[in-house]
Amino acid sequence: PEEEVRMLKAQLEQIRTRLPQNFQCPIGMDVMADPVVAADGHTYDRVHIEQHLALRKTSPMTNTPMPNTDLVPNFAMRSIMADLIEQFGGLDV
Protein backbone atom coordinates (compact mmCIF):
# COMPACT_ATOMS: atom_id res chain seq x y z
CA PRO A 1 0.00 0.00 0.00
CA GLU A 2 2.89 2.45 0.54
CA GLU A 3 3.69 2.47 -3.19
CA GLU A 4 -0.02 2.83 -3.97
CA VAL A 5 -0.24 5.84 -1.65
CA ARG A 6 2.83 7.42 -3.29
CA MET A 7 1.36 6.97 -6.78
CA LEU A 8 -2.05 8.31 -5.76
CA LYS A 9 -0.44 11.35 -4.18
CA ALA A 10 1.60 12.08 -7.32
CA GLN A 11 -1.51 11.80 -9.49
CA LEU A 12 -3.52 14.03 -7.19
CA GLU A 13 -0.80 16.68 -7.16
CA GLN A 14 -1.08 16.86 -10.96
CA ILE A 15 -4.75 17.86 -10.69
CA ARG A 16 -4.48 19.75 -7.40
CA THR A 17 -5.71 23.07 -8.80
CA ARG A 18 -8.93 21.41 -9.96
CA LEU A 19 -9.67 19.64 -6.67
CA PRO A 20 -11.97 20.95 -3.96
CA GLN A 21 -10.07 22.37 -0.98
CA ASN A 22 -11.53 19.56 1.20
CA PHE A 23 -9.03 17.22 -0.45
CA GLN A 24 -6.11 19.11 1.08
CA CYS A 25 -4.81 18.16 4.49
CA PRO A 26 -5.43 21.03 6.95
CA ILE A 27 -2.00 20.37 8.50
CA GLY A 28 0.30 19.96 5.48
CA MET A 29 -1.92 21.88 3.03
CA ASP A 30 -1.15 19.30 0.34
CA VAL A 31 -3.44 16.78 -1.33
CA MET A 32 -4.28 13.86 0.95
CA ALA A 33 -3.07 10.51 -0.38
CA ASP A 34 -4.03 8.47 2.68
CA PRO A 35 -6.99 10.27 4.28
CA VAL A 36 -7.88 9.22 7.83
CA VAL A 37 -10.43 10.45 10.36
CA ALA A 38 -9.04 11.35 13.78
CA ALA A 39 -10.89 11.36 17.11
CA ASP A 40 -11.85 15.02 16.58
CA GLY A 41 -13.94 13.96 13.56
CA HIS A 42 -11.75 15.78 11.03
CA THR A 43 -9.98 14.18 8.08
CA TYR A 44 -6.21 14.50 7.70
CA ASP A 45 -3.49 12.90 5.60
CA ARG A 46 -2.13 10.02 7.69
CA VAL A 47 1.51 11.10 7.61
CA HIS A 48 0.71 14.63 8.83
CA ILE A 49 -1.65 13.67 11.65
CA GLU A 50 0.71 10.92 12.87
CA GLN A 51 3.53 13.49 13.07
CA HIS A 52 1.26 15.95 14.84
CA LEU A 53 0.02 13.39 17.37
CA ALA A 54 3.59 12.27 18.09
CA LEU A 55 4.31 15.81 19.34
CA ARG A 56 1.01 16.78 20.92
CA LYS A 57 -2.29 15.09 21.73
CA THR A 58 -4.53 17.97 20.66
CA SER A 59 -6.73 18.54 17.64
CA PRO A 60 -4.95 20.55 14.93
CA MET A 61 -8.31 22.12 14.08
CA THR A 62 -9.55 23.13 17.54
CA ASN A 63 -6.52 22.75 19.81
CA THR A 64 -8.68 20.76 22.26
CA PRO A 65 -7.35 17.51 23.76
CA MET A 66 -7.87 14.41 21.62
CA PRO A 67 -9.76 11.68 23.48
CA ASN A 68 -7.53 9.09 21.75
CA THR A 69 -5.03 8.80 18.92
CA ASP A 70 -6.96 6.26 16.86
CA LEU A 71 -6.99 6.92 13.11
CA VAL A 72 -9.68 5.40 10.90
CA PRO A 73 -9.16 5.18 7.12
CA ASN A 74 -11.53 7.50 5.26
CA PHE A 75 -12.43 5.10 2.46
CA ALA A 76 -15.19 7.37 1.13
CA MET A 77 -12.78 10.30 0.63
CA ARG A 78 -10.16 8.07 -0.95
CA SER A 79 -12.73 6.58 -3.33
CA ILE A 80 -13.96 10.02 -4.40
CA MET A 81 -10.40 11.12 -5.04
CA ALA A 82 -9.69 8.01 -7.12
CA ASP A 83 -12.84 8.70 -9.15
CA LEU A 84 -11.62 12.24 -9.84
CA ILE A 85 -8.30 10.92 -11.11
CA GLU A 86 -10.21 8.66 -13.49
CA GLN A 87 -12.39 11.59 -14.65
CA PHE A 88 -9.29 13.63 -15.39
CA GLY A 89 -8.04 10.92 -17.72
CA GLY A 90 -6.06 8.43 -15.64
CA LEU A 91 -2.94 10.54 -15.35
CA ASP A 92 0.52 9.15 -15.96
CA VAL A 93 2.98 9.31 -13.13
Side-chain angles (χ1 to χ4, degrees):
E2 196 169 307
E3 179 64 18
E4 180 183 332
V5 167
R6 186 198 65 74
M7 289 181 60
L8 178 61
K9 188 169 188 109
Q11 290 174 323
L12 289 169
E13 284 298 331
Q14 289 182 20
I15 60 172
R16 178 182 191 170
T17 59
R18 298 184 240 171
L19 290 174
Q21 192 149 2
N22 293 352
F23 293 168
Q24 293 181 0
C25 176
I27 300 172
M29 301 309 294
D30 56 352
V31 176
M32 291 184 279
D34 190 7
V36 294
V37 179
D40 64 357
H42 293 280
T43 297
Y44 306 94
D45 195 30
R46 181 181 299 275
V47 66
H48 293 297
I49 191 63
E50 285 178 343
Q51 290 171 352
H52 175 86
L53 292 174
L55 298 173
R56 58 190 74 80
K57 305 293 189 243
T58 58
S59 166
M61 299 295 285
T62 65
N63 207 32
T64 58
M66 288 280 216
N68 61 62
T69 58
D70 297 340
L71 301 175
V72 179
N74 190 333
F75 293 116
M77 175 76 80
R78 191 167 183 171
S79 177
I80 291 167
M81 293 167 83
D83 288 347
L84 280 174
I85 288 173
E86 193 172 308
Q87 284 179 2
F88 286 118
L91 303 168
D92 283 338
V93 178

